[in-house]
């Protein structure tokens, strides 16, 4: 199944902008494979796509700024996602257990990688962290077994407990 979230909807002749995907909007949709999100959407709500295990493709609005807590938690077949440049907030557990996710580029508006954000992303082998990130919180990359090395910008001043516990991390390059 594919879903397209429009930029606007018209009800009784009045047009309304679609600006957010509500909390739990598609949570547990077992047959959802592809989603395209309209250009007016700025927020992906908490658990919006939680446990959408068949999801293999998602196209976020270029105007997305916020990805809520556990938004894509358990999307086990999602191989990739492009985070728009304007994203400034990624909630805890946002991509937890996305076990097919191979790489991620964190946009430069992000200052913190929250707790458990990428925990159990066992295929994650490449992470790009911008020099705006100051905190990598606890358990952020826990059990990312394919993550062999990481380039750590010198902007990072704090790394939380178990941030890389159980990962495949063998080297860190400070930049």
């Amino acid at each position: 199944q594919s879903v397209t979230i429009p930029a606007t909807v018209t009800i009784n002749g009045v047009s309304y902008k679609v600006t957010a995907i509500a909390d739990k909007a598609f949570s547990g949709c077992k047959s959802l494979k592809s989603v395209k999100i309209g250009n007016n959407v700025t927020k992906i709500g908490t658990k919006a796509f939680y446990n959408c295990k068949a999801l293999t493709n998602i196209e976020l609005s270029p105007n997305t700024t916020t990805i809520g807590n556990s938004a894509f938690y358990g999307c086990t077949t999602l191989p990739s996602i492009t985070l728009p440049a304007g994203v400034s907030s990624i909630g805890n557990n946002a991509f937890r257990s996305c076990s097919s996710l191979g790489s991620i580029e964190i946009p430069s508006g992000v200052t913190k990688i929250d707790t458990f954000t990428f925990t159990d992303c066992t295929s994650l082998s490449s992470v790009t962290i911008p020099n705006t990130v100051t905190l990598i919180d606890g358990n952020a990359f826990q059990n990312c077994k394919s993550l062999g090395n990481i380039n750590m910008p010198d902007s990072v001043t704090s790394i939380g407990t178990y941030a890389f516990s159980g990962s495949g991390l063998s080297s860190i390059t400070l930049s």
Side-chain angles (χ1 to χ4, degrees):
Q1 246 185 19
S2 295
V3 171
T4 299
I5 309 295
T8 59
V9 294
T10 302
I11 302 171
N12 295 328
V14 179
S15 288
Y16 300 92
K17 288 183 179 180
V18 178
T19 59
I21 307 298
D23 295 352
K24 301 181 182 177
F26 296 94
S27 182
C29 287
K30 293 179 173 139
S31 61
L32 185 61
K33 291 182 180 179
S34 181
V35 178
K36 182 177 181 181
I37 298 176
N39 287 347
N40 290 326
V41 173
T42 59
K43 179 183 177 187
I44 308 296
T46 296
K47 294 187 175 181
F49 296 96
Y50 179 84
N51 267 342
C52 290
K53 294 188 182 295
L55 189 64
T56 57
N57 182 52
I58 186 148
E59 187 179 328
L60 297 176
S61 159
N63 298 308
T64 302
T65 59
T66 304
I67 296 175
N69 297 339
S70 304
F72 297 97
Y73 187 137
C75 294
T76 56
T77 58
L78 186 65
S80 65
I81 187 167
T82 300
L83 300 180
V87 170
S88 58
S89 176
I90 301 172
N92 64 60
N93 293 294
F95 297 97
R96 185 173 186 167
S97 297
C98 290
S99 54
S100 296
L101 189 64
S103 66
I104 193 81
E105 184 173 338
I106 298 168
S108 62
V110 174
T111 59
K112 161 181 160 176
I113 300 174
D114 215 331
T115 56
F116 300 100
T117 299
F118 297 102
T119 294
D120 297 324
C121 291
T122 53
S123 297
L124 189 63
S125 62
S126 174
V127 177
T128 303
I129 300 174
N131 63 7
T132 53
V133 170
T134 59
L135 169 64
I136 298 175
D137 218 338
N139 309 88
F141 294 97
Q142 185 176 15
N143 297 329
C144 293
K145 298 189 183 308
S146 298
L147 189 60
N149 62 55
I150 195 163
N151 289 326
M152 185 83 62
D154 61 9
S155 59
V156 175
T157 57
S158 182
I159 298 174
T161 306
Y162 302 114
F164 295 97
S165 173
S167 73
L169 199 62
S170 60
S171 70
I172 297 174
T173 303
L174 302 174
S175 57

